[in-house]
Amino acid sequence: MSNYPVQMFEYHTWASQAILGKIKELPPSVLSQEVNSSFPTIAHALTHIYAVDKMWYMVLTGTGMPEALQACMLLNAKIMSSVDEYANEFAQLSEQYREWFRGQADLEQTILLDNPFAGIRQTSLAEIVLHLVNHGTYHRGNVSTMLRQLGHSSTMNDYALFWYQEAAK
C-alpha cells in the first residue's frame, strides 16, 4: 500500500484491538487496578487514547482544535466499565476514520491548526494522522508496562508484526 498515513492508521487500529484482546483474557478487575504509572489505571490510559483519537477525528472533520480539545477533556473523564466497551468504541471510531479516508482525496492538504498549547501552524492531514498513530503507540506502551506491573504479560503489537498479519490476510 502506498498511502502510508492510511496504512499507519490501520496499524493503529490493529494494535489497539490487539492489546484490548490481551486485556480481555485477564480478570475484569485489571482495568481498574491502581498502578504507579503515568495513568492511575489501565482504564484511564485507554480512555485517554480513545479521547485523543476522537479529538483528532473531530479536527480532521472540521471542528476547531480548541472545541475538539474541550470535547476530549469531557471524554477523558468518562471511564468505561469493560474491555468490550472499549473495543466497541475504538472499532466504531475506526470505522468513522475509514469513512473519512474514503472521502479524502488529498492527505497532503493543509489546515490551519490552532493548538491552544502550542500555537497556530499549517499542518497536513497526513501529519495529523501520523501523530495520532504515534500517540497511540506511545500510550499502548504505557498499557503494556502497567500490565507487567500488575503481574501479567502484554502482547506484541509492533508495526513489524502488523506487516505479517496483513500479508497473511
Side-chain angles (χ1 to χ4, degrees):
M1 175 186 279
S2 63
N3 194 339
Y4 294 112
V6 174
Q7 182 179 18
M8 292 303 296
F9 178 78
E10 290 302 331
Y11 156 69
H12 174 66
T13 297
W14 170 84
S16 293
Q17 291 299 329
I19 202 147
L20 287 165
K22 176 61 182 181
I23 296 168
K24 279 184 189 183
E25 297 171 3
L26 304 173
S29 62
V30 79
L31 272 180
S32 58
Q33 284 182 275
E34 292 205 7
V35 293
N36 186 15
S37 188
S38 49
F39 296 95
T41 68
I42 290 172
H44 282 87
L46 295 172
T47 297
H48 175 73
I49 297 168
Y50 175 78
V52 171
D53 282 6
K54 183 72 172 186
M55 182 207 67
W56 285 117
Y57 175 77
M58 292 172 70
V59 169
L60 289 168
T61 57
T63 302
M65 189 164 185
E67 295 80 18
L69 272 171
Q70 190 70 24
C72 174
M73 299 295 185
L74 294 173
L75 282 175
N76 238 344
K78 294 183 180 179
I79 302 299
M80 297 178 209
S81 60
S82 72
V83 179
D84 287 333
E85 191 176 352
Y86 281 103
N88 290 336
E89 291 296 320
F90 274 100
Q92 286 177 20
L93 184 55
S94 291
E95 280 308 311
Q96 290 176 310
Y97 268 98
R98 287 185 186 109
E99 184 64 31
W100 178 80
F101 283 126
R102 283 191 285 275
Q104 192 59 48
D106 181 14
L107 291 175
E108 291 308 314
Q109 170 191 341
T110 62
I111 62 171
L112 190 62
L113 191 63
D114 181 4
N115 184 327
F117 300 108
I120 297 172
R121 79 180 296 264
Q122 286 293 125
T123 306
S124 75
L125 302 177
E127 285 179 303
I128 292 172
V129 172
L130 294 174
H131 168 70
L132 108 89
V133 172
N134 188 56
H135 177 265
T137 300
Y138 176 78
H139 287 305
R140 282 189 300 275
N142 293 147
V143 172
S144 290
T145 298
M146 294 165 85
L147 285 169
R148 288 185 187 98
Q149 286 177 345
L150 293 170
H152 305 286
S153 63
S154 185
T155 188
M156 186 174 167
N157 59 70
D158 290 352
Y159 183 50
L161 180 59
F162 172 74
W163 297 336
Y164 293 97
Q165 300 286 324
E166 285 299 293
K169 282 184 180 177

